[in-house]
Amino acid sequence: MAEETKKMAEETTPEVVVSDVTVMETPQPEPEKLRESPEKPAAPVTGESKVEGDKDEKDLVAESTSFKEESNKVEELPNPEQKALAEFKQLIQEALNTHEFTSPPPPPSPLAAKEKEEEKNAAPAEAPEAEPFTEVTSEPVAEAAPKTVEVELVKKEEKVTPPETKVTPVTAPETPSEPEKVEAAEEIKETIVEVPAAVAVAAAEEEPPATDEAEEPKTECTPPPPEEVSIWGISLLADERSDVILLKFLRARDFKVKEAFTMLKSVVTWRKEFKIDELLDEKELGQGLEKVVYNHGLDKEGHPVCYNAFGEFQNKELYQNTFADKEKLTKFLRWRIQFMEKSIRNLDFSPDGICTFVQVIDLKNSPGLFFFKKELRQATNRALQLLQDNYPEFVAKQVFINVPWWYPAYYRMINAIFTTRTKSKFVFAGPSRSAETLFKYITPEQVPVQYGGLSKEGEQEFTIAEPATEDIIKPASKHTIEFPVTEKCTLVWEARVTGWDVSYGAEFVPTAEGGYTIIIEKSRKVGANEKVISNTYKAGEPGKVVITFDNQSSKKKKLVYRSKNKPSD
């Protein structure tokens, strides 16, 4: 029998043979379930799926030219978007009136519900019996009671007696059998009246009269005022600044009003649970992480630029202090949210203001960190998820620089976290094009020196208000720059070549005929470790300073420089 059962099971179960190993095929999901499955992660937004480094310039550079930051002026919005905003505000006002943003009251206990149901069932029996019960002992009621009960008995008899006998008990009340009917009626009256009377007395002692209950809502119950809800320091429905915030939620949900409203309620709830107000004043968060995430300068459109340098976690001590246990990981996430909240407080939420950031993600010196460092990968994914869910439309552009060869695979893993709108803002650049890519969005004088710009810490001869000039050094050629010099002045200059691997020299050429050329700096090879070339020359006569760059490589080089004349002492 067992052999027959086994044989039947083998005949009814499909098999799949893989490499000479027989495995039982698992039931396949139905087509409808397959259609409901999450979207398959896609490859990076354009560009190549592989980074070859500096060999043949096949860097992963992806840019979406279709995305453009929209206006926050309500009058400039298309009619459908204006209508969606008005509907969104109406939903919010109704929610504020009914206190939907606060926690709902706890449900009633089962005991209270049971008592309420018993009272409801007992209420109809009390009303008809209350009036006859008051005069039970008096004789007039005893005489009248048989008549009322007699009529009830006659009504009951109507269902079983013929039609011709209907009127007989009423017209002849003095028949010899009447006393027996009266006695029976009194017994019935006692059984009907006495039990509800006890219930009525108990209810009258425990509960106030019905008239008092009806008067209470009129005098004491008044509708509560609308609740006040603020987010990022701005009250909902306050003014045009709150319109800017509401547009962020609408755009994050493609102007689907109900979905945007659900997201807003979720964000308000999360902020209460995460205790954002307390988090802003929390101290001793982010110690040692100043170089991991920091704000530096503005882009060409005035957006604050936030840099994220994950390569700093190669420092083992910093890594252990940040991700060694669950408590430290939670502290890191709270610091990251605190940093975001403080940065948002510096934004201008007016319709003409700047209310988004440019994010720069530096992946230099981070090979394997995301794949082999479990704690960092978990922390990064959780931080990304928190920012994605609770900070809609705060990124104007997200630039990934120094992208290593392995990053496309990691991007596919986290691709499902981002919406299509968010991914349209992504830009990817390999090591050899990172500085050039940054210069598309940020002026060189605002880019830190470690990323190919001219901005450095400490005392500087130049400020961000003094712009730099961008130029290209062609492959296998010399490139010269001339700085005019007035009489008795000091010339100050600084220059930067992306990737370096060039030779550099400087000399002064006087304007007067027969003057001697003065070598300021001999031609020398500039290595990759040298960040910015800066020098000064005190001239005693008119002329010019000539700087020469000799590029013997087969690749073009990006050059940025600036200069100014200072009066001599």
Side-chain angles (χ1 to χ4, degrees), residues 74-316:
V74 177
E75 62 274 10
E76 295 180 359
L77 297 176
N79 288 336
E81 295 182 3
Q82 291 185 19
K83 183 178 179 181
L85 178 60
E87 184 180 349
F88 192 24
K89 293 170 71 174
Q90 183 178 358
L91 285 178
I92 294 172
Q93 185 62 67
E94 293 173 357
L96 294 174
N97 293 339
T98 57
H99 290 234
E100 285 188 35
F101 289 103
T102 57
S103 301
S109 62
L111 181 59
K114 184 177 180 181
E115 293 177 354
K116 186 175 181 182
E117 185 67 23
E118 291 177 356
E119 293 174 3
K120 182 178 179 182
N121 295 335
E126 295 172 5
E129 296 297 336
E131 185 175 353
F133 177 75
T134 56
E135 301 291 339
V136 173
T137 58
S138 61
E139 294 179 359
V141 176
E143 294 178 358
K147 296 180 181 180
T148 57
V149 175
E150 194 173 354
V151 174
E152 292 177 2
L153 291 174
V154 172
K155 290 180 180 180
K156 292 181 180 179
E157 290 177 357
E158 289 177 0
K159 299 179 181 180
V160 295
T161 57
E164 56 272 15
T165 61
K166 239 183 232 184
V167 188
T168 304
V170 179
T171 55
E174 300 297 333
T175 57
S177 60
E178 190 68 19
E180 296 177 359
K181 289 185 178 182
V182 171
E183 292 177 0
E186 288 179 354
E187 292 177 0
I188 294 172
K189 181 183 70 174
E190 290 176 359
T191 58
I192 295 175
V193 172
E194 288 178 358
V195 176
V199 176
V201 171
E205 293 176 355
E206 294 179 0
E207 297 182 0
T211 56
D212 295 337
E213 292 179 358
E215 293 175 358
E216 287 180 0
K218 297 179 181 178
T219 57
E220 297 181 5
C221 293
T222 57
E227 61 180 330
E228 295 184 2
V229 177
S230 297
I231 186 169
W232 301 306
I234 300 174
S235 298
L236 295 180
L237 306 183
D239 49 32
E240 58 185 9
R241 296 181 304 161
S242 57
D243 288 346
V244 175
I245 291 178
L246 299 184
L247 284 172
K248 290 181 178 293
F249 286 90
L250 286 171
R251 285 166 177 155
R253 292 297 178 263
D254 295 327
F255 283 89
K256 298 176 182 177
V257 178
K258 292 184 178 180
E259 293 183 13
F261 181 67
T262 301
M263 183 183 187
L264 176 62
K265 291 177 64 177
S266 175
V267 170
V268 171
T269 302
W270 172 81
R271 293 176 68 83
K272 292 179 180 178
E273 295 174 352
F274 210 80
K275 299 179 179 180
I276 294 296
D277 294 335
E278 299 177 12
L279 179 64
L280 286 170
D281 299 327
E282 197 168 340
K283 306 295 182 182
E284 298 181 358
L285 290 176
Q287 294 182 352
L289 299 175
E290 296 82 4
K291 293 184 178 180
V292 177
V293 181
Y294 57 93
N295 293 323
H296 187 94
L298 307 174
D299 75 340
K300 294 179 179 180
E301 297 178 356
H303 300 97
V305 182
C306 178
Y307 292 86
N308 302 261
F310 296 112
E312 295 292 330
F313 286 121
Q314 284 195 332
N315 184 323
K316 294 182 179 180

Side-chain angles (χ1 to χ4, degrees), residues 9 21 43 50 55 62 70 79 127 142 144 155 196 262 272 301 304 307 344-345 369 388-389 464 466 473 486 543 566:
V21 179
K50 185 178 179 181
K55 293 182 180 180
E70 301 93 338
N79 288 336
K155 290 180 180 180
T262 301
K272 292 179 180 178
E301 297 178 356
Y307 292 86
I344 289 176
R345 293 303 197 277
L369 280 178
Q388 178 78 5
D389 293 343
I464 58 176
E466 298 171 308
I473 305 177
T486 59
K566 297 173 60 178

Side-chain angles (χ1 to χ4, degrees), residues 408-446:
Y410 174 73
Y411 177 83
R412 293 187 186 97
M413 293 171 55
I414 65 173
N415 184 47
I417 298 177
F418 307 108
T419 63
T420 302
R421 182 183 176 86
T422 299
K423 288 183 287 189
S424 69
K425 305 174 185 179
F426 287 175
V427 177
F428 296 90
S432 65
R433 293 188 183 177
S434 292
E436 181 181 351
T437 302
L438 286 178
F439 293 161
K440 292 181 180 179
Y441 310 103
I442 311 168
T443 58
E445 59 271 14
Q446 299 255 29

